[in-house]
Amino acid sequence: MKKKSRSQKAFLNFLIGMVYEAVAIAAGLIVPRLILTSYGSAYNGITHSISQFISYIALMKAGIGGVTRSALYKPLAKGDNEEISEVIASTQRFMRKIAYLFVIFIVGLSIVYPLVVREFDFLFTASLVLIISISTFAEYYFGFSYQMLLMADQKQYIYSLVSIVVIVLNSIASIFLMNNGYSIHIVKLASTLIYMITPLFLYLYVSRKYKINHHAKPSTTHIAQRWDAFAQELSNFINNNTDIVVLTLFSSMAEVSVYTVYHYVSANIKKIVKLFTSSFGAAFGDMYAKGEYELFNRNLNIYELIIHSFVSIIYSTTLVMIVPFALIYTKGVTDISYARPLFSIVLVTASAFECFRVPYKTIVTSVGHFKQTRNGAIVESIINIIISVAAVIRFGLIGVAIGTLIAMAFRSSELAYYIYKNITGKNYGQYLLRVGLTLGTMAAVYLISLLYLPGELSIAAWLIYATITAIIAIIITVAVDLVFYHQETLTLIKKLKKMALG
């Protein structure tokens, strides 16, 4: 069988990744909607809040993923199985320590969290914390290092495929259990057990397909920059989790529920954009490892065009359609209002800014510049925490979104400046122009939508108007690209044809 090129692998990763995200989005809409209608907003809020707190243990593994992938690019390019095994062994040893710490963290959380959130009795909340945490332990103990290996080897599609199967199984089980009147504990326990399939499959697949020496001696030199990379991931973690924490402490579970509905949309849109990181990141790592620097820079220009064009189209559509979606999704839920247009604008813009940095974070991982870019990540975290806490008391839901927006705008701009100055040598004004054009397109589409979008929509009408909005966004984006990036746009079209046709 003919070996796939880097471009073909990237396209396959992206294509299957898109299918995965579509399935995940659909499932993520159906299951929480059933929780809302079956149990109420408070139940929906507490399950999301617990998941958010459980994810805090991810701080302990922050940075290890990027460092592991960066360390694997060169041995994968050389076919050095022994060094690959050493990197895997180093990562596994680190992750298993995290898994043991995770157990301690969960025990503590199951005691403290019920004392903070008193809308449910202690036993109810504590047991729910323990149930939701099981699959995360399995991921850390069994599957993480193997997932990083597949990503570094441009085989992320393997992980995506098994994840699709798991999501479908979980959705079927959850729907069946809720429709038959089972408790939220039984529903979440079933989900946890099903999600354990993924790390177990990765272990079996990698053991079968790769010549991994499971007795290889771990070496910390392979993951020496993990604490520098920690700052990068810590910043992401704070941006993605500060809002719910602040709302949990200073607001109500019902407000958390409102936040999760809007955040679910923006977060999944963001995931689709970030597929480019896993789809093309390994290709950049391979180019850099082989010293193909001119090709590296040419492809970065195309990469930036893809990201900004995609953000322009998808976030313009999201900006217009997110409030009508929230109202349709929560129809019949009357315990709190889900109509929050100003909040949605701030949240979607913040999410767009996080996507602007995707090409530059990819390059940081590809070239291993974790230490050089850590300070900006630290500043971003501080900005987000201070502004979110200060603003939530006065502005509520909008306040936490403002903190996230300012922090993300700072970090994306600062990271782009570093990459342009120290790696590519490009003029920083090019980044500012790209951002200005993208935000301008989003604003133009939103203003145009005011001329045709009615106040209330059915599901069918929402789909029709979403399609109309997307078409408008595509027309404006393509026009802007052809005017400002004519040659790059033509090159991109040729590359897409080549990837699709082989």
Side-chain angles (χ1 to χ4, degrees):
M1 183 181 291
K2 185 180 178 181
K3 188 176 180 181
K4 292 182 176 65
S5 68
R6 284 186 299 223
S7 296
Q8 288 173 322
K9 286 181 179 179
F11 183 75
L12 182 61
N13 280 327
F14 177 69
L15 185 63
I16 296 179
M18 285 287 286
V19 176
Y20 161 74
E21 290 299 339
V23 172
I25 289 171
L29 292 174
I30 294 169
V31 175
R33 165 68 184 176
L34 280 175
I35 291 175
L36 270 173
T37 55
S38 300
Y39 308 112
S41 293
Y43 281 80
N44 185 49
I46 196 170
T47 54
H48 279 88
S49 180
I50 289 172
S51 297
Q52 219 50 36
F53 275 92
I54 287 175
S55 69
Y56 293 167
I57 194 64
L59 282 172
M60 298 299 297
K61 71 177 180 67
I64 189 66
V67 171
T68 298
R69 294 195 303 276
S70 182
L72 284 168
Y73 290 140
K74 186 172 288 186
L76 282 169
K78 296 188 301 182
D80 189 339
N81 290 320
E82 191 57 33
E83 187 174 351
I84 292 171
S85 298
E86 289 175 2
V87 175
I88 295 298
S90 301
T91 302
Q92 283 181 330
R93 182 174 66 175
F94 183 83
M95 288 306 301
R96 286 179 179 176
K97 290 178 181 178
I98 299 303
Y100 298 137
L101 290 173
F102 177 73
V103 173
I104 299 172
F105 172 80
I106 289 301
V107 171
L109 184 65
S110 66
I111 296 172
V112 175
Y113 185 85
L115 300 176
V116 176
V117 180
R118 299 185 179 182
E119 295 179 40
F120 301 92
D121 65 65
F122 185 93
L123 184 60
F124 175 97
T125 305
S127 56
L128 196 57
V129 170
L130 295 174
I131 288 170
I132 294 175
S133 67
I134 297 172
S135 59
T136 303
F137 174 83
E139 175 194 345
Y140 290 178
Y141 197 86
F142 294 109
F144 183 81
S145 58
Y146 301 124
Q147 183 187 351
M148 295 304 103
L149 173 59
L150 293 177
M151 289 180 69
D153 201 23
Q154 285 193 279
K155 292 183 179 179
Q156 175 72 3
Y157 62 88
I158 300 296
Y159 174 79
S160 297
L161 285 171
V162 67
S163 296
I164 289 170
V165 174
V166 167
I167 290 171
V168 171
L169 289 176
N170 174 62
S171 299
I172 293 171
S174 297
I175 293 169
F176 173 81
L177 292 171
M178 280 188 279
N179 284 340
N180 284 276
Y182 285 87
S183 70
I184 190 68
H185 290 77
I186 297 299
V187 174
K188 288 301 177 181
L189 179 60
S191 296
T192 291
L193 296 176
I194 290 170
Y195 274 107
M196 287 178 65
I197 293 173
T198 302
L200 293 174
F201 174 86
L202 293 180
Y203 172 79
L204 294 173
Y205 178 86
V206 170
S207 297
R208 181 181 177 88
K209 296 294 184 179
Y210 289 82
K211 296 178 181 178
I212 301 295
N213 176 9
H214 293 288
H215 302 290
K217 187 177 180 180
S219 172
T220 55
T221 58
H222 292 299
I223 54 174
Q225 290 195 75
R226 65 185 182 276
W227 298 119
D228 297 312
F230 177 86
Q232 317 283 351
E233 296 304 318
L234 175 62
S235 174
N236 289 337
F237 178 86
I238 289 174
N239 284 331
N240 292 325
N241 294 278
T242 293
D243 293 357
I244 283 186
V245 175
V246 172
L247 289 171
T248 298
L249 296 175
F250 295 98
S251 189
S252 66
M253 287 297 105
E255 281 291 289
V256 172
S257 181
V258 173
Y259 179 88
T260 59
V261 170
Y262 283 91
H263 182 259
Y264 179 80
V265 177
S266 67
N268 279 285
I269 295 298
K270 184 168 59 182
K271 284 180 183 178
I272 294 174
V273 178
K274 287 186 173 182
L275 276 173
F276 288 108
T277 303
S278 57
S279 299
F280 294 96
F284 278 104
D286 188 59
M287 290 177 215
Y288 198 81
K290 293 178 178 178
E292 300 171 349
Y293 303 123
E294 184 178 346
L295 180 64
F296 181 96
N297 284 329
R298 284 204 311 269
N299 278 282
L300 177 58
N301 290 333
I302 302 299
Y303 191 23
E304 288 180 291
L305 177 64
I306 292 173
I307 292 295
H308 280 269
S309 298
F310 200 51
V311 168
S312 178
I313 294 167
I314 201 165
Y315 275 99
S316 294
T317 307
T318 302
L319 192 63
V320 173
M321 301 308 301
I322 189 170
V323 173
F325 165 81
L327 295 177
I328 293 171
Y329 185 69
T330 59
K331 187 176 182 180
V333 180
T334 59
D335 51 4
I336 194 169
S337 173
Y338 283 82
R340 309 292 179 97
L342 184 56
F343 166 69
S344 71
I345 292 172
V346 179
L347 184 70
V348 170
T349 306
S351 185
F353 263 104
E354 186 173 3
C355 291
F356 291 153
R357 76 180 71 173
V358 167
Y360 317 117
K361 287 197 67 178
T362 300
I363 300 309
V364 167
T365 301
S366 299
V367 304
H369 282 210
F370 299 103
K371 182 177 181 179
Q372 297 91 326
T373 56
R374 69 184 177 192
N375 291 340
I378 294 171
V379 174
E380 177 189 27
S381 304
I382 295 170
I383 290 173
N384 198 359
I385 292 171
I386 292 175
I387 296 179
S388 293
V389 172
V392 69
I393 297 173
R394 181 174 176 81
F395 302 108
L397 207 58
I398 297 173
V400 293
I402 290 173
T404 301
L405 171 59
I406 294 173
M408 288 184 175
F410 162 78
R411 176 57 172 164
S412 298
S413 302
E414 183 269 339
L415 189 59
Y417 180 81
Y418 174 84
I419 297 298
Y420 276 40
K421 181 181 179 181
N422 297 284
I423 297 179
T424 67
K426 294 199 299 180
N427 187 327
Y428 182 65
Q430 295 179 46
Y431 166 79
L432 298 177
L433 176 62
R434 288 187 188 276
V435 171
L437 291 172
T438 303
L439 294 179
T441 299
M442 291 170 60
V445 174
Y446 185 81
L447 292 174
I448 292 172
S449 73
L450 298 177
L451 302 175
Y452 65 81
L453 193 67
E456 294 185 10
L457 297 174
S458 64
I459 295 176
W462 187 92
L463 292 171
I464 292 171
Y465 281 106
T467 302
I468 292 171
T469 304
I471 292 171
I472 293 171
I474 291 170
I475 291 171
I476 295 176
T477 300
V478 172
V480 169
D481 286 347
L482 287 173
V483 171
F484 290 91
Y485 307 105
H486 183 75
Q487 190 57 49
E488 290 177 350
T489 302
L490 296 180
T491 301
L492 173 59
I493 293 172
K494 291 179 182 178
K495 279 183 171 290
L496 291 174
K497 286 182 178 178
K498 185 177 180 180
M499 285 190 291
L501 300 176

